[in-house]
Amino acid sequence: MPRPLGELEDAVMTRVWKWNRPVTVREVLEDLQQERSIAYTTVMTVLDNLHQKGWVRREAEGRAYRYEAVSTRAAYAAALMNDAWSQSDNPAAALVAFFGMMSEEQRQALRDAVRIVQGPETLAAPEPREQEAAREEAPREAPQQQASGAREEENPGSAEDADGR
């Protein structure tokens, strides 16, 4: 399981993830220097440490290296959450407490993520509360058309059966 990145490691990885391309020590240094006083050798050491820990890969370019992230920030965050959750003696209670800390926007993102992981069948059968919300957001132009269309789909051969054909 991954250890959380230190403050400087996180500052460096934030740039590597944000730029999403191979970067040099100099590029990271110049960007970091806009926020703090930092030496070239410090950034070089941090990137070397990140390489040894498996967070970045590097490729030689002349006498220097270009560094590139091995995984995404999302994967890093997921690994940290999984590690924290797996250390709980009551995972269900930990999840309930975690969900209680979430904003409504975060809970919606979680619902969306669950649907993606579970596949299309989840999209076809939303939870009752979500059905109500969907009805409220649905266009109100032609509710009769929607209702009649649903009846036709439920019993497509009913008109023919009534005539005996």
Side-chain angles (χ1 to χ4, degrees):
M1 294 294 156
R3 262 186 43 244
L5 296 171
E7 181 193 346
L8 191 51
E9 290 174 326
D10 186 67
V12 169
M13 283 305 299
T14 294
R15 282 146 181 89
V16 175
W17 281 319
K18 183 175 90 177
W19 296 334
N20 196 27
R21 60 173 173 76
V23 300
T24 64
V25 172
R26 175 82 43 210
E27 289 173 310
V28 175
L29 171 72
E30 289 173 359
D31 200 59
L32 282 170
Q33 284 179 331
Q34 294 176 21
E35 300 173 357
R36 62 176 84 185
S37 177
I38 190 166
Y40 180 93
T41 54
T42 302
V43 177
M44 184 174 62
T45 300
V46 169
L47 279 164
D48 185 57
N49 289 342
L50 290 167
H51 175 256
Q52 289 177 20
K53 292 177 181 181
W55 288 107
V56 295
R57 65 179 141 258
R58 66 185 181 193
E59 197 169 305
E61 184 176 278
R63 291 180 20 191
Y65 289 106
R66 282 203 174 266
Y67 295 87
E68 186 174 19
V70 169
S71 65
T72 64
R73 181 178 276 286
Y76 166 68
L80 290 178
M81 288 187 289
N82 186 56
D83 187 39
W85 184 48
S86 69
Q87 292 181 31
S88 173
D89 61 348
N90 187 341
L95 283 174
V96 169
F98 180 62
F99 297 156
M101 295 176 197
M102 299 172 105
S103 68
E104 182 53 39
E105 184 178 283
Q106 290 169 322
R107 283 192 291 273
Q108 184 58 51
L110 176 65
R111 286 189 287 272
D112 293 344
V114 168
R115 279 191 214 105
I116 290 168
V117 169
Q118 288 181 340
E121 65 276 359
T122 306
L123 294 174
E127 296 297 318
R129 271 191 237 141
E130 295 174 48
Q131 289 175 342
E132 291 173 14
R135 272 187 243 124
E136 290 174 9
E137 294 175 10
R140 301 179 192 273
E141 301 166 1
Q144 293 170 336
Q145 289 176 345
Q146 291 172 352
S148 66
R151 270 187 249 116
E152 289 171 12
E153 289 175 28
E154 288 174 5
N155 199 355
S158 61
E160 294 172 28
D161 293 341
D163 293 342
R165 292 184 212 160

